Amino acid sequence: LPAGLSQWFPALEVLDVSGTGLAELGAELLALPRLHTLLAKNNRLGGPGSLPKGLGQAPLGRSLRVLNLSGNRFAEVPPALLGLRGLQSLSLGGNRLHGIPPEIQELRSLEFLYLGGNFITSIPPELANLPSLNYLVLCDNKIQSIPPQLAQLHSLRSLSLHNNLLTYLPREIINLVHLEELSLRGNPLVVRFVRDLTYNPPSLQELAGRTIKTRNVPYAPSDLPENLVRYLSLASNCPNPKCGGVYFDSCVRQIKFVDFCGKYRLPLMHYLCSPECSSPCSSASQSSTSQSESDSEDEASVAARRMQKVLLG
């Protein structure tokens, strides 16, 4: 950066030095008391001395609200950034980060955090201690699991996790009631979920067996071969009370969130006779049909349908 920058532009509020090949940001920045937006993406920052010393204690450390360092060479989140207590937006996408320091929780004013396109393998639970975080982007990393503590991010509206290594989600994720966007494509979780929902058309034998069972066609053991009589005895009733159908081998898997003891929502697998048979089903284990339980069941069904839509979207 040119010497005398603070003298020439003492009232500078926005500075964009992206794509200029910079390997370090000079100490001149520290004396810019009004600078609130610094864009330095697509440079060569990341080595020792890339950021000026005393960043958090300087006037810039108090005024800076937006910092974009994406497309550089940082192998870790620079400790100097963790002193920027007024920072609202931090972008470090497309760097060489392998982790997120627990001290990230010190950025209490952070609303937007972009860490996509790195080599991050895990998320520290301390990330949940950012009360104002609205947007969290962790796509295109190597993350294998989500800490259940993230459910404490009550302000979170958008969570991008696509193209990671996730095989499951913690059930606490449905407590993010203000979440509007959840991106999960390109994870083993979604691939497996979609595969499990595939539906093989019923065979002619199954169609005939369903017809006999649903229409109560009378038959005696002497009327049919022994193997068909045994087959008909294996019919399973569809759990959808609005259906009344049966199935044998061809069914559809569906995940349903059911309240357990009024404290937990458990994801339970149940089986429907066809993809069209997707109405909410009542739990066979419920012994009471009070209004409060009915309302709770409706909530669980809505959550299940919402989660399926998100996973397949």
Side-chain angles (χ1 to χ4, degrees), residues 166-234:
L166 297 172
T167 57
Y168 71 96
L169 290 178
R171 62 174 178 265
E172 289 84 356
I173 201 79
I174 62 175
N175 293 327
L176 294 173
V177 294
H178 293 110
L179 196 66
E180 299 173 357
E181 299 174 349
L182 175 59
S183 178
L184 293 168
R185 66 183 185 276
N187 281 282
L189 162 71
V190 178
V191 174
R192 185 184 64 191
F193 189 91
V194 173
R195 184 186 67 236
D196 289 347
L197 287 181
T198 55
Y199 177 67
N200 295 320
S203 64
L204 292 178
Q205 176 175 301
E206 172 139 354
L207 290 174
R210 290 186 181 194
T211 300
I212 292 173
K213 286 293 186 178
T214 55
R215 297 187 180 183
N216 295 318
V217 177
Y219 66 91
S222 58
D223 297 332
L224 299 172
E226 183 179 350
N227 65 317
L228 292 182
V229 174
R230 186 167 56 252
Y231 177 79
L232 289 171
S233 69
L234 299 176

Side-chain angles (χ1 to χ4, degrees), residues 15-17 25 29 35-40 60 64 66-68:
L15 177 61
D16 187 352
V17 291
L25 298 176
L29 286 175
L35 189 68
H36 59 71
T37 299
L38 175 58
L39 310 177
L60 177 64
L64 201 59
V66 177
L67 177 59
N68 191 328

Side-chain angles (χ1 to χ4, degrees), residues 125-202:
E126 289 80 4
L127 192 62
N129 297 329
L130 297 176
S132 303
L133 196 63
N134 295 150
Y135 299 90
L136 177 57
V137 181
L138 296 167
C139 60
D140 300 293
N141 278 287
K142 299 181 181 298
I143 299 169
Q144 300 182 35
S145 64
I146 304 299
Q149 289 86 349
L150 284 196
Q152 300 171 19
L153 291 172
H154 301 301
S155 298
L156 199 63
R157 296 173 54 190
S158 178
L159 177 57
S160 296
L161 293 166
H162 52 271
N163 298 331
N164 275 286
L165 301 176
L166 297 172
T167 57
Y168 71 96
L169 290 178
R171 62 174 178 265
E172 289 84 356
I173 201 79
I174 62 175
N175 293 327
L176 294 173
V177 294
H178 293 110
L179 196 66
E180 299 173 357
E181 299 174 349
L182 175 59
S183 178
L184 293 168
R185 66 183 185 276
N187 281 282
L189 162 71
V190 178
V191 174
R192 185 184 64 191
F193 189 91
V194 173
R195 184 186 67 236
D196 289 347
L197 287 181
T198 55
Y199 177 67
N200 295 320

